[in-house]
Amino acid sequence: MVTSTKRRPGPAKVLPGASRARQLRTINGAAAPNLAVRGLKGVVLLISCALVIAPFLAVISTSLADQAQIAEAGGYVLWPQNPSLDAYRAIFSGGVVTRATLVSIGVTLVGSGLSVLVVAFLAYSLSRPGSWGHRPILLLVLFTMLFNAGMIPNYLLIKQLGLIDSYWSLILPTLVSAFQVVIVRAFFLEVPQEIIDAARIDGASELQILVRIMMPLSRAVLAVVALFNAVSYWSAFFNAVLYINSTEKWPLQLVLRTYVIDNTAVGADLPGEVVPPQQSLQMAILVVSLIPICLVYPFLQKHFAKGVVIGAVKG
Amino acid sequence: MASSVVPRGPATDPHAPAGVTAGGPAKGPGTTGAPPPSTGRPPAPANRRPSGWQRFKRDRFLLLLGLPGVFVVLLFQYVPLLGNVIAFKDYQPYLTIAESPWVGFDNFRIIFNGDPAFLNALTNTLIISFLQIALVFPVPIGLALLLNSLLSERIKRVAQSILYLPHFMSWVIVVALFQHMLGNAGLYNTWARMQELPLIEVIGNPDLFLALITSQVIWKDAGWGTIIFLAAISRVDLELFEAVAVDGGGRLRQLWHVTLPAIRPVIILLFILKLGDVLSVGFEQIFLQQGPVGLEASEVLDTYVYNYGIVGGNWGTSAAVGLVKGLVGAILVLGANKVAHLFGERGLYAKW
């Protein structure tokens, strides 16, 4: 890792007046660190990255490995010799994992879709300076960042609304986050007022302005909000523990807890003993729960730094 | 960055003439004999400002758009706030909240009389919080400085992609990964048994529980935490680095005199947020791992509220604990922010 580190400062760091030879040895005018320091950095970085990657690698490999190799390795493999999809076929042949995956996909799609719409609408209605009531409403939303009610009152509310054991109990409580409203509103405020005025002269309604102008211009932030919501709906665990009673409505995270963390035998026909095929079944469930995150990760990564900074520094 | 986020300071000014900034020429503010829209900002006289009713009528569709969001916020954030009254009631699940009898501060007695289970949860919470502030908080700062000091942009980007990833994994996934790596039948111990190396018993070991959850938090979020520090560093004026170099300072001096002061406001900001969370420590993370470890080592305030309230049926008392926890958290954030202001830092909500 270190050896590939060229003594080449990034273009932005090059001093304009310095000669090329000087540029090669200095960064921001100070001397480049010596080999030992760079070696140490490389080792620290390499170990950090390996600690992150290794568990994922082991999980994916074990889920793909065949029974013989798992038995030989004693449970886990770092590289599958004869990769097979048997474990995936088994868990997707119907039954609890298949159903839970569909539940999770449904909750994630409906939840993140609804969420981005409601957040965008609210952010838009708060993005017009001087509009009626925008300040109290904004404060009303912002206050929720400071204080939330706590678990018991939330549970009682869901119960009183009759949402226990309903998929809506997983979707509605986390539909609007004040933080996301603030971010989207900040983007809407950046759209030049002249564009909106021009659209209004042309007879556009508020909804048309929002859908035809604001939302396309803020596509990046809306995509990030949608993806963040998707990740959190996909990962939501405790709401399901609280509100979902019947096993056939379990989302994937509960299945993961039951079969992978608590070691309940998958398929229920085997006793709690961990036997090799059980291992790859468990790892396959884990991988299934990883896949959507890994699919949206590149898109998230493209934009998230900006969103986080806006959100955390709050203007 | 700051300027791009709040781009129209003057326009959000409550005293700005609303008709001029918001009404636009097409609809008009509804005033009679309004001056023709000019390129400048005519200082509209106060009596030209449309009345509340006029503005309400003008903005009714805008308000309609915001309605679903406001409704969700009111229903799922504010109604539960009201639901906290059960902290002052003897709530019976078969009665409604209104029908349950008032008991005053009886439910708070468990806190002030020092119920052992409650004290255990409180102690564990504070210990875990302290560990997170002392051990977890500095890691992203160090990692950000390391990433920033890399000469190769490509290596930096690859490392960032890898290190950010665990943040997006749910706690269920992270706990499952740790169990399967470090559990008694996990990857390491399986391998160690074959090599006849000493086994390490981490999962389900109450003595190592604190170390386990602390390392899980670092594994999950240290990389993610670097983002904000890197952003702060990237905003530093390069001339400052050059000035240090001109004065004969090396890279360490640049770090000490430029980079660290540049990220100080961000460090303080995040520290304040962390302080506000001092009574909420990784609920899902701990809940998932309570079984094999036992409550004595693993019970924290949030899990106590769940176990004692929802599982145990002690609704009122448990709500009282949750209420005190939330209030203390809010007071801590506001107090810490006040202190930050006293020290001349921007703190949490200077802009709002």
Side-chain angles (χ1 to χ4, degrees):
Chain A
M1 207 138 208
V2 185
T3 47
S4 65
T5 309
K6 298 270 168 26
R7 284 188 179 181
R8 185 184 47 182
K13 293 175 178 172
V14 176
L15 297 182
S19 72
R20 177 156 174 76
R22 192 176 146 73
Q23 285 173 16
L24 287 176
R25 263 179 275 108
T26 61
I27 302 150
N28 295 333
N34 62 33
L35 210 60
V37 173
R38 284 162 56 197
L40 188 69
K41 281 190 209 165
V43 169
V44 171
L45 208 60
L46 203 61
I47 291 177
S48 314
C49 289
L51 284 177
V52 170
I53 288 292
F56 291 117
L57 190 68
V59 165
I60 296 170
S61 301
T62 306
S63 77
L64 292 171
D66 58 356
Q67 199 169 340
Q69 198 192 353
I70 290 178
E72 187 192 340
Y76 297 88
V77 297
L78 283 175
W79 197 255
Q81 275 153 2
N82 304 305
S84 82
L85 291 172
D86 288 348
Y88 294 91
R89 260 181 229 118
I91 59 171
F92 280 125
S93 62
V96 68
V97 181
T98 318
R99 211 165 41 217
T101 308
L102 292 177
V103 169
S104 281
I105 290 174
V107 167
T108 301
L109 289 181
V110 174
S112 52
L114 263 186
S115 179
V116 79
L117 278 183
V118 174
V119 166
F121 284 8
L122 181 56
Y124 180 65
S125 83
L126 293 175
S127 70
R128 188 74 54 76
S131 74
W132 186 86
H134 80 286
R135 267 176 184 269
I137 299 175
L138 186 60
L139 284 177
L140 186 93
V141 173
L142 288 179
F143 178 73
T144 63
M145 284 170 129
L146 193 63
F147 194 84
N148 54 38
M151 183 193 308
I152 305 269
N154 281 319
Y155 177 83
L156 292 178
L157 174 72
I158 297 290
K159 207 176 134 203
Q160 303 257 302
L161 292 174
L163 291 180
I164 295 285
D165 228 19
S166 150
Y167 295 130
W168 291 110
S169 68
L170 304 179
I171 292 174
L172 292 177
T174 49
L175 201 59
V176 177
S177 101
F179 176 69
Q180 291 173 358
V181 174
V182 169
I183 293 175
V184 176
R185 178 177 172 267
F187 265 76
F188 284 169
L189 283 172
E190 273 185 77
V191 175
Q193 183 69 32
E194 290 74 15
I195 298 181
I196 300 166
D197 289 341
R200 202 172 284 122
I201 290 173
D202 291 343
S205 69
E206 292 288 356
L207 189 64
Q208 281 173 323
I209 293 174
L210 172 61
V211 174
R212 299 261 187 86
I213 297 173
M214 298 304 253
M215 288 174 73
L217 284 176
S218 318
R219 212 178 304 145
V221 71
L222 293 178
V224 174
V225 166
L227 290 179
F228 264 99
N229 281 316
V231 169
S232 75
Y233 276 116
W234 181 263
S235 308
F237 162 71
F238 197 70
N239 277 354
V241 171
L242 281 177
Y243 306 138
I244 300 294
N245 294 331
S246 37
T247 23
E248 65 267 23
K249 287 183 179 166
W250 272 6
L252 195 57
Q253 304 289 330
L254 282 193
V255 167
L256 207 56
R257 196 262 303 254
T258 308
Y259 293 107
V260 182
I261 293 181
D262 293 349
N263 243 332
T264 311
V266 186
D269 39 311
L270 291 159
E273 203 70 29
V274 180
V275 287
Q278 197 66 26
Q279 201 83 325
S280 42
L281 289 180
Q282 289 188 347
M283 295 303 104
I285 300 175
L286 199 48
V287 172
V288 169
S289 68
L290 292 171
I291 286 174
I293 309 277
C294 296
L295 286 182
V296 302
Y297 184 63
F299 300 98
L300 273 176
Q301 217 207 351
K302 218 164 79 182
H303 300 293
F304 58 32
K306 197 176 178 194
V308 166
V309 173
I310 291 174
V313 182
K314 293 203 191 89
Chain B
M1 181 58 69
S3 62
S4 73
V5 174
V6 185
R8 38 183 82 228
T12 52
D13 183 348
H15 306 299
V20 173
T21 51
K27 282 187 161 178
T31 53
T32 50
S38 60
T39 46
R41 296 180 68 199
N47 60 2
R48 290 280 164 80
R49 193 167 188 268
S51 71
W53 176 242
Q54 281 172 323
R55 288 193 301 144
F56 181 78
K57 261 172 56 184
R58 182 195 67 200
D59 297 330
R60 61 187 185 278
F61 193 74
L62 209 57
L63 290 164
L64 200 64
L65 280 178
L67 203 59
V70 172
F71 178 73
V72 169
V73 168
L74 284 177
L75 182 59
F76 289 101
Q77 304 279 347
Y78 283 87
V79 174
L81 280 185
L82 298 178
N84 269 314
V85 295
I86 74 155
F88 306 95
K89 288 194 162 206
D90 181 19
Y91 176 73
Q92 309 289 335
Y94 47 86
L95 297 177
T96 64
I97 292 176
E99 286 164 358
S100 300
W102 291 95
V103 292
F105 283 89
D106 275 10
N107 287 325
F108 292 84
R109 271 207 305 251
I110 194 167
I111 300 174
F112 298 111
N113 288 355
D115 172 68
F118 168 76
L119 281 186
N120 177 46
L122 181 65
T123 317
N124 283 338
T125 307
L126 291 176
I127 291 174
I128 293 171
S129 244
F130 173 77
L131 278 180
Q132 296 206 343
I133 288 172
L135 300 178
V136 179
F137 189 75
V139 177
I141 302 174
L143 204 54
L145 294 176
L146 172 63
L147 285 171
N148 182 60
S149 73
L150 295 179
L151 302 191
S152 157
E153 278 294 319
R154 201 189 313 145
I155 291 180
K156 184 178 159 187
R157 233 172 290 138
V158 170
Q160 281 175 306
S161 298
I162 293 174
L163 294 173
Y164 293 167
L165 184 63
H167 171 80
F168 294 97
M169 302 298 161
S170 68
W171 272 114
V172 185
I173 293 178
V174 174
V175 169
L177 284 177
F178 267 75
Q179 279 196 2
H180 283 271
M181 294 304 110
L182 299 175
N184 296 338
L187 178 70
Y188 173 78
N189 280 336
T190 309
W191 176 78
R193 240 175 242 122
M194 288 186 154
Q195 312 294 317
E196 292 176 351
L197 288 168
L199 306 183
I200 47 167
E201 197 190 323
V202 187
I203 307 293
N205 181 347
D207 299 331
L208 287 180
F209 186 67
L210 290 176
L212 175 70
I213 59 171
T214 307
S215 54
Q216 283 169 341
V217 174
I218 293 178
W219 187 85
K220 189 172 190 280
D221 281 334
W224 180 254
T226 62
I227 291 180
I228 184 151
F229 297 112
L230 285 171
I233 294 171
S234 74
R235 265 184 272 164
V236 178
D237 191 347
L238 287 179
E239 284 180 16
L240 290 175
F241 289 110
E242 287 157 20
V244 174
V246 168
D247 289 345
R251 289 172 58 77
L252 268 180
R253 284 206 163 263
Q254 287 182 339
L255 175 75
W256 185 250
H257 291 293
V258 179
T259 315
L260 280 177
I263 61 175
R264 193 184 61 186
V266 179
I267 294 178
I268 290 173
L269 174 82
L270 293 184
F271 195 75
I272 291 172
L273 289 174
K274 192 80 215 151
L275 280 183
D277 274 346
V278 87
L279 293 183
S280 329
V281 282
F283 180 28
E284 290 192 356
Q285 177 196 13
I286 291 168
F287 175 76
L288 281 164
Q289 304 183 83
Q290 275 191 324
V293 183
L295 292 186
E296 202 194 323
S298 70
E299 187 87 306
V300 293
L301 286 179
D302 282 323
T303 56
Y304 177 82
V305 171
Y306 175 75
N307 289 328
Y308 190 71
I310 291 182
V311 178
N314 301 296
W315 300 92
T317 313
S318 205
V321 173
L323 183 62
V324 169
K325 191 192 90 98
L327 283 176
V328 171
I331 291 169
L332 282 172
V333 176
L334 296 176
N337 197 50
K338 190 98 195 149
V339 173
H341 281 307
L342 287 180
F343 280 95
E345 296 292 344
R346 232 174 100 250
L348 189 53
Y349 49 75
K351 282 277 179 193
W352 290 101

